[in-house]
Amino acid sequence: MHNDQPSPDSTAADNLVARSLASVWHPCTQMQHHAQHGPDAMPLIPVSHGRGAWLYDTGGKRYLDGISSWWVNLFGHANPRINAALKDQLDRLEHAMLSGFTHEPVVTLSEQLAVLTGYALGHCFYASDGASAVEIALKMSFHAWRNAGQGDKQEFVCLRGSYHGETLGALAVTDVALFRDAYGPLLRAAHVTTSPDARGALDGESAADVARRAAADLEALLQQRSGRIAAVIVEPLVQCATGMAMHDPLYLKLVRELCDRHQVHMIADEIAVGCGRSGRFFACEHANVWPDFLCLSKGISGGYLPLSLVMTTDEVYQAFYHVDAARGFLHSHSYTGNPLACRAALATLAIFAEDRVLQRNTERAAAISAALAPLAGHPQVRHFRRQGMIWAFDAVVNDADAARTFSRRFFSAALQNELLLRPIGRTVYLMPPYVLDDGDIAHMAAATLRSFEQTMAEA
Ligand SMILES: *Cc1c(COP(=O)(O)O)cnc(C)c1O
């Protein structure tokens, strides 16, 4: 317990929840579920503060943040080093427009990211959230082809189960029915091709075989729509939002080859899997390829501030470089390259380097996997899988009603066990910040197992 922790006050907590429900429209939520009781109920937690991997509510309860607050937090809440950098930046420059002006944090961040790609992707374009980065990559791809005299390349390809954000352009390359279907009539159709999800392996097939099969389908599509396709967009190694579908790195290598052969851009959406989540800093490094566009967000600011960016090649950059303004990329957002957000990102990159985070995560991941062994071998668990600092498994729930309510029931059970986990359908996943110590790991694993057994026992 910390001495600045407010004293437990359940009346104040209830009050905050009631005020929130009256005035805040919460994201990705059927608001009525917050008002219900029973298996459809979804508690709303009033958070008072965070420390390290833990969130504390206004009633004095604590929760280990097993999903890094929607995959954004890398080095814990209230991280002293990121806090110090932001306090320093706050007294220098909070914001200045990035059109016609520049500043130290955005320049240094762009340089450092370029170095991390060995200058393969040496040009950074900034926005604030992930969906905007996807919009930028799609627009840039189309416009680069247009500037190169190939304006017929207007179509995009995404994968079955893909997720690239909620704005209309990003949603058009998203294949998650729950998010997409209501807006179907508003969306420009994209080609949806076979996912290399390794769970789709037929008898005797390896993950690499599944990747080859998926790539063959992509090849057929690229041949069929020859000259029409601008870009293929992929979530490298893990399609997170559809339920942590993982694939063999071979797929990325094959996509890169196909894109080269058919003159199509490759867009790597590393918004969720970038920043060390896959085990390397960029997930594409597992396949030794660079895309034409790489989207980053979520973890890049350490989970502090909205920041996203698209990194691209000299070739794309040169396609826009001209005396004619209309050939430029005339896209902007008010907070593009915000200095505070960039400074948080620089502090995040500094922690990666100073603490040798990728190496230490290898050891941390081994400890977490060992602690989760009882779940990996559980008779009601299928497809226990891991990529870097992401663990996932699918619950075997046969009753339709129990399956429908599994996620919300598990979420509630986990909260009772001092753990924040929000399954996607029947897929339970863990995506913790890179700061768990042995005690946190033991707690996370035990609470996950207990929550799982409680949720399954209710069915
Ligand atoms: C979260 C996510 C996005 C969207 O990012 P937002 O900041 O929520 O707009 C896009 N792509 C992937 C792979 C994501 O995980």
Side-chain angles (χ1 to χ4, degrees):
M1 290 285 154
H2 298 274
N3 48 17
D4 58 345
Q5 170 140 354
S7 59
D9 183 344
S10 58
T11 319
D14 291 349
N15 208 350
L16 190 61
V17 167
R19 283 167 53 208
S20 193
L21 294 180
S23 61
V24 180
W25 196 335
H26 290 268
C28 201
T29 299
Q30 170 48 268
M31 291 298 290
Q32 209 198 61
H33 289 161
H34 281 315
Q36 285 174 357
H37 300 281
D40 278 337
M42 187 94 176
L44 182 64
I45 310 299
V47 176
S48 84
H49 64 289
R51 279 291 178 291
W54 294 86
L55 289 169
Y56 298 83
D57 74 15
T58 53
K61 293 209 200 92
R62 60 173 202 163
Y63 312 95
L64 190 139
D65 189 351
I67 56 169
S68 301
S69 283
W70 255 357
W71 322 345
V72 300
N73 188 290
L74 300 190
F75 298 119
H77 297 280
N79 182 287
R81 283 188 270 177
I82 304 175
N83 287 6
L86 282 176
K87 285 173 187 167
D88 178 71
Q89 185 60 40
L90 203 48
D91 284 331
R92 293 171 194 271
L93 178 66
E94 82 299 335
H95 185 67
M97 61 192 284
L98 198 65
S99 184
F101 293 83
T102 195
H103 50 78
E104 182 72 37
V106 79
V107 173
T108 308
L109 179 59
S110 307
E111 289 172 349
Q112 291 190 5
L113 288 169
V115 168
L116 289 176
T117 68
Y119 294 98
L121 303 169
H123 305 273
C124 273
F125 194 99
Y126 288 84
S128 307
D129 50 49
S132 306
V134 170
E135 301 282 342
I136 288 163
L138 297 174
K139 283 176 69 178
M140 251 185 202
S141 169
F142 163 74
H143 198 167
W145 288 125
R146 185 167 176 264
N147 281 350
Q150 302 203 56
D152 286 343
K153 291 184 188 273
Q154 302 175 0
E155 298 172 9
F156 297 107
V157 179
C158 62
L159 300 187
R160 181 73 57 211
S162 59
Y163 180 87
H164 298 289
E166 309 283 347
T167 55
L168 293 178
L171 201 54
V173 289
T174 287
D175 183 50
V176 178
L178 182 65
F179 302 137
R180 185 195 153 98
D181 282 1
Y183 311 100
L186 306 184
L187 306 175
R188 193 169 174 279
H191 301 284
V192 181
T193 189
T194 310
S195 164
D197 181 351
R199 289 173 300 178
L202 307 172
D203 265 356
E205 258 190 343
S206 68
D209 293 333
V210 180
R212 273 185 216 101
R213 198 149 46 76
D217 287 351
L218 174 61
E219 182 168 24
L221 176 63
L222 296 182
Q223 271 161 2
Q224 189 200 328
R225 301 300 301 163
S226 175
R228 301 276 168 183
I229 291 174
V232 177
I233 183 166
V234 296
E235 295 161 83
L237 299 190
V238 190
Q239 295 181 275
C240 295
T242 195
M244 303 298 155
M246 299 184 182
H247 59 253
D248 194 282
L250 174 65
Y251 184 71
L252 303 174
K253 221 177 159 52
L254 297 175
V255 170
R256 179 69 274 179
E257 285 170 16
L258 289 172
C259 285
D260 288 341
R261 200 173 319 138
H262 293 268
Q263 277 207 39
V264 166
H265 288 140
M266 176 179 181
I267 302 174
D269 176 351
E270 297 219 11
I271 290 165
V273 295
C275 302
R277 190 52 76 179
S278 74
R280 303 280 186 89
F281 190 83
F282 296 110
C284 283
E285 292 176 71
H286 291 270
N288 270 314
V289 299
W290 293 114
D292 300 282
F293 302 92
L294 192 150
C295 304
L296 275 190
S297 188
K298 293 208 163 107
I300 186 63
S301 72
Y304 267 66
L305 287 160
L307 179 69
S308 67
L309 55 101
V310 178
M311 304 178 70
T312 191
T313 59
D314 266 336
E315 196 180 339
V316 168
Y317 182 76
Q318 290 302 335
F320 290 85
Y321 199 82
H322 199 270
V323 287
D324 180 4
R327 285 180 62 116
F329 190 59
L330 306 185
H331 179 111
S332 65
H333 297 283
S334 306
Y335 284 98
T336 294
N338 175 261
L340 283 165
C342 290
R343 195 63 196 277
L346 286 170
T348 300
L349 292 184
I351 295 174
F352 269 102
E354 287 160 18
D355 293 3
R356 304 173 67 242
V357 168
L358 297 178
Q359 289 94 319
R360 284 182 57 187
N361 272 355
T362 310
E363 295 147 33
R364 194 173 275 121
I368 294 174
S369 291
L372 291 172
L375 274 162
H378 196 288
Q380 287 166 301
V381 163
R382 282 195 73 202
H383 298 301
F384 186 93
R385 54 198 183 274
R386 175 182 81 91
Q387 175 70 53
M389 289 290 286
I390 304 174
W391 289 259
F393 60 87
D394 305 334
V396 180
V397 191
N398 295 320
D399 177 75
D401 231 36
R404 189 180 57 78
T405 57
F406 176 85
S407 172
R408 288 196 289 275
R409 289 185 295 111
F410 186 101
F411 173 67
S412 301
L415 290 176
Q416 298 300 320
N417 292 313
E418 298 190 321
L419 177 64
L420 164 50
L421 287 186
R422 261 171 67 125
I424 299 169
R426 276 158 286 168
T427 298
V428 177
Y429 73 92
L430 300 92
M431 216 196 259
Y434 310 158
V435 294
L436 302 194
D437 62 22
D438 290 347
D440 295 333
I441 291 171
H443 173 84
M444 182 173 78
T448 304
L449 179 61
R450 203 174 321 124
S451 306
F452 181 67
E453 290 184 331
Q454 287 167 350
T455 309
M456 297 306 276
E458 284 165 14

